[in-house]
Amino acid sequence: MERMLGYLLCLNILLFHCGHGAPPGFRLRLAGNASSANQGRVEVLYNNVWGTVCDDEVNIHLANVVCKELGFMHGITWAHSAKFGEGQGPIWLDNVLCSGTESSLADCQSNGWGINDCTHAEDLGVVCSPERQRGFTQPSDSVVHPPSPPAQAPPSTQISNILEPPGRRGHELAIHRSGPRQGPNRRYGHQIQLRPYNHDRPRNQESSVPRGHQLPDRLRNAGAYRQASDSQASRGLQGRSNTLPTSQTVQRTPNTNINGGQTPASETPTYERPASEPRQMAQHANLPEENNLNFDFTDQYNQISSGVDIDEVRLRPVLTSTRRNSMVTEGVVEMKLAGRWRHVCGLGWTLSNSKVACGMLGFPAAEQADEPVYRKLWENKIADPSTRLSAMVTKKGFWVEEVRCAGTEPTVAECRTQLSIPHNDVPCVGGIPAVVRCVPGHQFAQAAGRTVSRPATKPEVRLKAGPRLGEGRVEVLREGKWGTVCDHMWDITAASIVCRELGFGTAKEALKGAQMGQGTGPIHMNMVQCTGREISIKQCRHREVPLRSCKHSEDVSVRCHVPTTGLETTVRLAGGRDPAEGRVEVLMEVGGMQKWGAVCSENWGIREAMVVCRQLGFGFASRAHQETWYWPGSVDAGEITLSGTHCIGTELSLQHCRRNGHVFCPSGKAAGVTCAETAPDLVVDAQLVQESSYLEDRPLHLLTCAHEENCLSSSAARMHWPYGHRRLLRFSSRVMNLGRADFRPRAPREAWVWHQCHRHYHSIEVFTHYDLLTLNGTKVAEGHKASFCLEDTYCPEGLHKRFSCYNMGEQGISVGCWDTYRHDIDCQWVDITDIRPGDYVLQVEVNPSLDMAESDFQNNVMRCRCRYDGARVFMYSCHAGDAYSAEVEDLFEHQQQITNNFL
């Protein structure tokens, strides 16, 4: 039997298309909307059972395929999170990827029939154009049925696309390719199902994946599980800025000095031309106004030759080819001294000099420019005696005579600089202005007009919880586990190595004392000392961290120089009480013209708001507003020009997020944001969950209140209350706020709901999800924890408790404090009464709906391997969701052996 299946598998892979193909009896309909036939929840009939489609990884192509299959002209948009109501029966499709050319939804790629990790709260809906296709013939049963009947064959009033095929006998071998995954854990292959044809199954039977012969292990697909997309994976820019190219300027401000001394923070970036700026080359090249980008020097700098204090550095694009892109990466380098811009003599200018200058402008590296082209252009301009430039080049005040850098300096101010040579009457004899060509990081390559290329190796350093691009807590990867760096001897040179490794320029600041929030897990490095020539921080000299010698309150952070992209000029806030608040307005291309407009508030959430605040340089989003009628918008932005926005949260601009091709905003409401410099960061204590887990068989008469709060599985409703019991997997959980702002419920105190059974107020509808998953990611048991009391259960020494639920007090979790939920309180469990013995994954997720803003959402999930033998439970390998590398996380999900056992 195995050999036959192997031959069939090989033959089908070679001969057949890797999509699903429409199975026998496949139908499609829209449900849940009685008012309109062209919109509703997507439901499919498979194996004689109606089911829904999950909204994961959906785009407009899927909506087009569904709408065309139902006879409409095209799709307008899609709706996620069960906007048209929750369906019933199985969830047949998940992670559906359509190219738009398919003739049927069944031809699109997906996880496979019945393979999903979704709930009906994630049911997909679509909105189709009201126009019908000409010549499209519908079956007689072609109207929308608003309520979807529970798991039964379709009644006679449905929009349907395929009639029932005649009965068939035998077995079918279903082979389809798994859809492509995002992130580093990409799995490709085929999924196989061998099942008998069965058309005699009762039509009201609730069936999941069709049963059939089980394939041998060597033919079974080991990749049929959902992998989370690596939102931290580096991406090139998806589009160019709509602004004109500008010169890039970096401006000196105070910061942390090389020995770690703290000085005032950097000033606000300016965007104005100095009155004393020399205009000789700008006049001939017809250059646009330049943008100034903030940068700072350290307080210690060594200028051996002349003690020259360089205030700013910029690139002036001269060639036409360098002025086409929104990001300037090549041009004549200029330095500002005492309020006056000077050219730098190109005699003796080296690639090391260029590297330092590029680092200040936000670029990690430099390459040799085409000097003969610039020399020819320069000689042609100064040869004309009628130009002002021909007279200026003979003056010493026009030049910086010499700059010598080793290439390891964080700023040009630390290089040897000489303004003029005393015995030379004519400056820069035979030379031309120094020319610099910078190499942008991979995330900025597209904006610079270069080919986007992924890094050759996976990054082993990352920045976490930073309010702006190029800022954050430094974490390094060692032996598959992410950890932090202790701040002993941390300086600007080591910080610059981190910044360049991540595709930015040199460091503006080297921060100590967990100024970007505390990390979790191990501390990998201490006393880091770099020469400036290393490619990675892991190549720098450092010491191991003995146990308890460093604390996470000493975690290091960086602020890097980032290039000027011009993206901040394509979005603005209007009507708010301060510049960091207001209605969001974006610059979009409408009818071939650039036009300002508002953003539709449908699907608007905290992730989209985070992108806007980061794009404007305002830090984190503290609130995503879906009502902005109280904020007057700009006169030239009265219309909505952007709708259906879906952001991961790491995009460089709102225009880079997924969006509708056509504006569709039924509510007509505009979105808004409130930005903040700091944000909370909730993390679940994984060790406490691992050490406190146990089983309890609890009588039903003690679970009345828990049943009212939906803390039991659905089968509890069919029991003979109050007789019987439920088997509960209980554990304690402790939620820590490691951010830089207090965590507060979104709803004001007057909006809290009183629960008579437990005699307490609910400030958040759902604060925590508890899920038991199979090893392929399918939920088999779940629970939730309503936030009846957010309070400071424990605060370390030096911090005071400020939140308590006693007497309807203020609720929240202070910075650095913990909120503990003991194992013996209601709903602090997962109901596993219906679970068979086996290996599972316990997942605990706080703030699952992202109702409240945080500086880092990736560490909200805690996961444990769980083995249940029917009488005992063993919990091990508990960790935060982003604590391990992708490879180690993959082993965590699939290894069968127990690595440790604390219970």
Side-chain angles (χ1 to χ4, degrees), residues 20 53 77 173 183 201 234 270 456 468 525 582 633 660 733 823 840:
H20 302 156
V53 179
T77 186
L173 182 63
R201 181 183 290 105
S234 300
T270 59
R468 297 173 187 83
M525 304 174 73
N660 289 346
S733 64
H823 57 85
Y840 300 95

Side-chain angles (χ1 to χ4, degrees), residues 7 16 127 139 227 300 390 442 448 470 487 575 681 694 759 769 848:
Y7 292 153
F16 293 100
V127 178
Q227 299 190 17
Q300 287 189 349
S390 60
H442 56 85
D487 62 9
D681 185 18
Y694 66 96
R759 310 287 297 176
H769 275 167

Side-chain angles (χ1 to χ4, degrees), residues 581-611:
E581 178 184 73
R583 192 179 81 151
V584 179
E585 297 176 352
V586 294
L587 186 63
M588 301 291 295
E589 184 174 342
V590 180
M593 300 178 60
Q594 297 294 320
K595 182 179 179 180
W596 285 98
V599 180
C600 183
S601 64
E602 293 195 14
N603 301 327
W604 186 258
I606 198 65
R607 293 186 187 274
E608 290 74 25
M610 286 283 188
V611 173

Side-chain angles (χ1 to χ4, degrees), residues 447-510:
R450 300 198 177 201
T451 303
V452 179
S453 59
R454 296 286 182 180
T457 59
K458 295 181 179 179
E460 294 188 342
V461 62
R462 67 184 182 185
L463 300 183
K464 299 286 287 184
R468 297 173 187 83
L469 183 66
E471 299 181 1
R473 179 178 62 252
V474 179
E475 296 188 356
V476 296
L477 185 66
R478 176 179 291 179
E479 296 179 353
K481 192 166 188 177
W482 290 99
T484 60
V485 179
C486 192
D487 62 9
H488 300 169
M489 300 183 68
W490 182 249
D491 61 13
I492 198 75
T493 303
S496 294
I497 296 296
V498 170
C499 292
R500 290 187 189 273
E501 185 176 359
L502 292 170
F504 304 110
T506 51
K508 291 191 291 187
E509 295 183 72

